[in-house]
Amino acid sequence: MKMRPRSRLFAPLFVALTASAWIALWAWDAGPYARYLHRASWTELPGVGAICRAVPGASLPLAASLHSVAWLLMIAAMMLPTAFPLFDTFRRMTSAREERRTLIALLIVGYAMAWTLFGLIAHAFDEALHRLADQSPTLLANGWLIGAAIVALAGLYQFSSLKHRCLDKCRSPLMFITGHWRGLSARRESFLLGMSHGAFCVGCCWALMLLMFAVGTGSVGWMLALGAIMAAEKNFSWGRSIGKPLGIALIAWSAWIVVQHVSMA
């Protein structure tokens, strides 16, 4: 399969798309509707509460829709840059095809779909934890235990073999494409290629993404920090070397949270 030269427009357009996502997140977080990015009672949000009260059963679909929009915007800002080598390599390999724009679009949609499914699972898990805490006075009074556990889990996962197997897939876009795409049913294969790569990306980064729920899903600063870490792990030659130090730092942070709260008890 012949590789074409790099496009002078694809990278700038991709950077512009990513920058637009970050600007949108920043504007959203700084505006009057910032609570849409954070956990809140949906019936208290401006506009949404009135609809929920007027239309029976509207609360759940509206909550799901707003969660989905916020999550997809976060994924566009944080994760698309980490997968740029895959998108660029695939674009160059399919540049001779008439439907090349459709194929790259399907690749990106498939990638986003994998992260959307993870987002639904993560939000369901987060909701279950909050309901459990609401029903347990002890857990409600010691909610820091959940945060410390999530931080420790993220740290320990940095040392797992599954993390490194998934990271290897993410760091080798050309090998991944040649192993998953034949071009016989181009559109279907492009979408499934994006889904497959997104699944390995989730396998590599899910524990770090859970930190979003521990520190607040609406923190743009945390999103920037986590996005930079994940991009470095995947796209730079020295990225693999930050895994263990990051894991040690997260475990130490978790221990510090425990010590701090125990000493205050």
Side-chain angles (χ1 to χ4, degrees), residues 36 42 47-52 55 57-68:
Y36 286 99
W42 293 102
V48 177
I51 297 174
C52 292
V55 182
S59 178
L60 183 59
L62 281 170
S65 298
L66 290 169
H67 266 310
S68 298

Side-chain angles (χ1 to χ4, degrees), residues 20-255:
S20 297
W22 280 113
I23 291 171
L25 281 175
W26 174 82
W28 193 345
D29 190 49
Y33 296 95
R35 286 185 294 172
Y36 286 99
L37 281 175
H38 303 265
R39 282 200 57 86
S41 173
W42 293 102
T43 57
E44 296 175 359
L45 295 174
V48 177
I51 297 174
C52 292
R53 289 187 291 271
V55 182
S59 178
L60 183 59
L62 281 170
S65 298
L66 290 169
H67 266 310
S68 298
V69 171
W71 182 257
L72 286 174
L73 192 57
M74 292 177 194
I75 293 305
M78 296 176 65
M79 303 312 303
L80 288 183
T82 73
F84 174 76
L86 175 81
F87 301 143
D88 188 48
T89 301
F90 183 77
R91 180 201 61 80
R92 294 164 62 196
M93 293 175 68
T94 59
S95 60
R97 291 176 174 260
E98 292 183 0
E99 56 186 346
R100 58 189 178 276
R101 292 185 179 86
T102 301
L103 298 182
I104 189 67
L106 287 170
L107 176 72
I108 295 174
V109 169
Y111 181 85
M113 182 63 68
W115 275 104
T116 299
L117 293 175
F118 169 76
L120 291 174
I121 296 172
H123 277 96
F125 177 71
D126 184 56
E127 182 66 26
L129 282 179
H130 279 80
R131 291 190 178 186
L132 178 63
D134 289 341
Q135 296 173 4
S136 172
T138 301
L139 189 58
L140 187 62
N142 298 279
W144 58 269
L145 285 170
I146 296 176
I150 292 175
V151 173
L153 175 63
L156 290 171
Y157 191 67
Q158 290 297 111
F159 298 91
S160 72
S161 58
L162 177 59
K163 158 84 177 187
H164 293 291
R165 285 199 298 269
C166 292
L167 183 59
D168 286 341
K169 296 288 186 180
C170 294
R171 289 174 61 87
S172 306
L174 179 58
M175 292 180 61
F176 192 88
I177 293 172
T178 55
H180 291 78
W181 197 82
R182 297 291 180 270
L184 301 178
S185 179
R187 297 190 179 193
R188 175 177 173 274
E189 289 182 23
S190 298
F191 177 79
L192 292 178
L193 173 65
M195 279 280 289
S196 298
H197 193 271
F200 280 108
C201 189
V202 170
C204 172
C205 303
W206 69 268
L208 290 177
M209 289 296 286
L210 283 185
L211 291 176
M212 297 279 290
F213 295 88
V215 300
T217 55
S219 173
V220 177
W222 272 106
M223 283 187 254
L224 276 168
L226 291 173
I229 289 170
M230 290 183 284
E233 275 193 318
K234 293 182 183 180
N235 297 335
F236 293 101
S237 58
W238 46 267
R240 189 187 302 275
S241 64
I242 70 176
K244 290 183 179 180
L246 177 61
I248 293 171
L250 289 171
I251 293 171
W253 181 19
S254 176

